[in-house]
Each structure stands twice: as structure tokens, then as C-alpha cells.
């Protein structure tokens, strides 16, 4: 259920982004059959239409905003309760050994409520920034189109077409991070969902481990692990650092934005471990094999993005009323990207995830 809800949230934002990009393409495409000498008047007229465009974008936002916030809160709620239930299941061997069952305290659910409220703030921020990001794209298309035409490089149609294609590929920006990287709606929402799922699971598990006074944690292992996580997987660590037998969890990258367990996109899991009761279940994987599988997974994600970007180009061009020749060109591009994916799948034997190549 939680996985379906996370996919639904991503689809909601993909739909919002595509509707907004279509609105931009439609407004830009209206009245574009002008001569080079009319470009300044066109620029003034288009800038005057920003308010009209913003009203259309607000309609898109109003249609989806409450649902995005509500679905995200329910997603965290489901994740939190599922993790508590899973933790109690893992404690069965401890209870069978004579340890008293410790029911979840109010503190556990207070932490969960705090996570739900934080997620609502993040979703509202994304929704608000989509409007300002739309404004940014629209102004940039108008400015670049005008300057390109004035320097005699392209016709008004060619200049607008090429700029719209650039922005449709990159998507509506919603955040610029400390490193100066600009995050698109699709990329940022995906990252937020994965990070939220990770944080919720860790918060619930740590809270329950505290209630049982369990210090040791076994980290899972899998082929295809992020290379920086390979040294830490399949091992047991002390959360407090007080164990004389096991290294401290702080000696790993735990807690870092790209760290083991806490890293965005990290699929490792931690399991409570009590010596004499729990059996160690995970061992490290072969490093060479793991790195090769990880690199292939990253290549597949890249090819999937390339297919989606080409499809977004087509949607934006159709919205602006692009020439049939340009639509044929982008169709050829889509087919070539799909051919690249087929070749990659044949070479690596990986499973193709067609749903990841789709746009709403």
C-alpha cells in the first residue's frame, strides 16, 4: 500500500508538471507567426501575458495541491505503522527468550506525527515553488527567443522552439541546493519521497530500539550497493559506541546525506541484534560484482530519464503548435532512446522497467 501511494504521489507531480509545461508552450506558441522586425513587440506582449499564464498554473495547483499534501502525510503514516509492526515481528525471538514485550509508547507516535507535519511543509514548499519556477521558465523563453532573433541567429519560431525544448527536458525548477544544483519537480519529489521513507523507517526503529535498550544493529547487504557503502554492509555496529566487541556506528558514514542507511536512495536496512538470541543473517558481497551491478543500475536510470525527457519535448512542442517536421524529429529521438535502452537490456540482462519510461 505504501509503495503504491508513493508512486501515486510521483505521478501526481508528473501530471502537474506536464500540465504546466503544456500551458507555457500554448501561451508561447500563440501569435508566434511574426517577422524578425516584430520581435520586440512580441516580447512586450508576451511579458504582459504572464499574469494570465500564472492564473492557469494556479488552477493546476489548486486541482492537485490538497491531494499531494494529504497523500504524503498518509504515506508517512502508513510507513511508520508498518515499521513498528515489522519491528515487533523481529522481536518475536526476543520475547520467546523471556524478554518482556514493550508496547510502543506515545513518544514513538509523537515522532511519527512530527514527520507527517514536516512532510506537509515540504509539499507546500514544492507546490509554491512550482509557480515561481513556471514564471522563471516563461520569462527565460521570452528573453532567449528575443535576444536570439535580434542577433539574427534564428527565426522567432526556431528560437522559441529550441528554448522550449531545453526547458521541457530539464523540467520546472523547484529548488536550488547549496551546491548550486537546480532540482526539477520530478527529480526533487522523487528524492523527497525516498528520503522521507528512509527517515520514517529509521525514526521508528530507533525509537523502538531505545525502548528495548538494544544497542547493536546489523546492516543488510546486497549486490549493486553504492560503492561507498560496500565496506559497511553485512556487519554489526554499536549505536552507542560503547561495545568492546563491535565497532561504533559512528565509524561508518551513517548520518551523512550520502551515508549508509541514511543516504538518499540507499536501500540498506538495519536490524536490531541481540547476541545469543538473534542470528547474523548478512555477509558482505563481492566488491567487483557489486560495483558492476551498481554502475549498470545507474546507467539504466539515465536511459530512463532520457526517454522521459524526449517524451516531454514532444508534449511541449505539440502544445506550442510545432511544425510537423519538428514532431517527426522528436518522434525519431524517442525511438532512438528506446533503442538504446533495448540494446542495454540485451547486453546486461537487466529487467526493463517500462513504467519508469512513461510520462503522465
Amino acid at each position: 500500500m505504501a509503495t503504491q501511494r508513493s508512486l501515486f504521489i510521483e505521478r501526481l507531480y508528473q501530471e502537474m508538471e506536464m500540465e504546466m509545461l503544456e500551458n507555457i508552450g500554448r501561451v508561447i506558441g500563440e501569435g508566434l507567426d511574426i517577422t524578425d522586425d516584430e520581435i520586440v513587440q512580441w516580447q512586450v506582449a508576451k511579458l504582459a501575458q504572464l499574469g494570465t499564464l500564472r492564473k492557469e498554473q494556479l488552477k493546476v495547483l489548486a486541482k492537485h495541491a490538497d491531494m499531494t499534501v494529504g497523500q504524503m502525510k498518509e504515506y508517512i503514516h502508513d510507513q511508520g505503522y508498518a515499521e513498528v509492526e515489522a519491528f515487533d515481528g523481529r522481536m518475536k525471538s526476543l520475547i520467546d527468550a523471556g524478554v518482556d514485550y514493550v508496547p510502543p509508547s506515545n513518544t514513538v507516535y509523537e515522532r511519527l506525527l512530527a514527520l507527517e507535519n514536516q512532510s506537509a511543509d515540504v509539499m507546500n514548499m514544492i507546490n509554491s515553488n512550482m509557480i515561481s519556477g513556471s514564471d522563471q521558465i516563461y520569462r527565460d523563453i521570452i528573453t532567449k527567443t528575443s535576444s536570439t532573433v535580434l542577433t539574427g541567429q534564428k527565426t522567432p519560431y526556431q528560437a522559441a522552439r529550441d528554448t522550449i525544448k531545453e526547458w521541457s527536458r530539464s523540467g520546472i525548477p523547484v529548488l536550488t541546493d547549496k551546491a548550486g544544483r537546480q532540482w526539477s519537480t520530478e527529480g526533487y519529489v522523487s528524492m523527497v519521497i525516498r528520503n522521507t521513507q528512509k527517515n520514517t523507517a529509521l525514526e521508528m526503529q530507533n525509537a523502538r530500539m531505545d525502548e528495548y535498550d538494544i544497542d547493536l544493529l546489523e546492516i543488510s547487504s546486497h549486490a549493486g550497493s553504492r560503492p561507498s557503502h560496500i565496506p559497511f554492509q553485512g556487519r554489526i555496529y554499536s549505536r552507542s559506541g560503547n561495545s568492546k566487541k563491535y565497532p561504533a556506528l559512528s565509524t561508518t558514514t551513517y548520518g551523512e546525506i550520502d551515508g549508509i542507511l541514511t543516504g538518499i536512495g540507499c536501500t540498506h536496512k538495519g536490524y536490531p541484534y541481540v547476541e545469543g538470541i538473534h542470528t547474523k543473517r548478512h555477509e558482505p558481497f563481492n566488491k567487483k560484482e557489486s560495483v558492476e551491478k551498481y554502475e549498470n543500475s545507474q546507467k539504466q536510470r539515465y536511459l530512463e530519464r532520457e526517454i522521459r525527457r524526449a517524451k516531454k519535448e514532444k508534449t511541449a512542442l505539440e502544445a506550442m503548435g510545432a511544425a510537423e517536421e519538428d514532431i517527426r524529429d522528436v518522434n525519431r529521438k524517442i525511438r532512438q532512446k528506446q533503442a538504446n535502452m533495448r540494446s542495454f537490456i540485451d547486453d546486461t540482462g537487466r529487467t526493463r522497467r517500462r513504467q519508469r519510461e512513461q510520462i503522465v
Side-chain angles (χ1 to χ4, degrees), residues 128-164:
S128 175
N129 287 359
M130 287 186 76
I131 298 299
S132 57
S134 167
D135 288 353
Q136 176 187 340
I137 291 176
Y138 184 71
R139 290 194 184 96
D140 187 74
I141 292 173
I142 294 170
T143 301
K144 285 186 176 179
T145 298
S146 301
S147 61
T148 302
V149 172
L150 288 172
T151 54
Q153 299 177 41
K154 298 176 182 177
T155 67
Y157 169 78
Q158 291 171 335
R161 175 202 61 195
D162 292 348
T163 310
I164 285 176

Side-chain angles (χ1 to χ4, degrees), residues 326-343:
D326 291 322
I327 301 299
R328 286 196 297 270
D329 286 344
V330 77
N331 278 331
R332 282 193 291 269
K333 179 186 289 188
I334 292 171
R335 290 193 294 271
Q336 182 57 58
K337 302 293 184 185
Q338 292 170 331
N340 293 342
M341 175 62 83
R342 288 193 296 272
S343 177

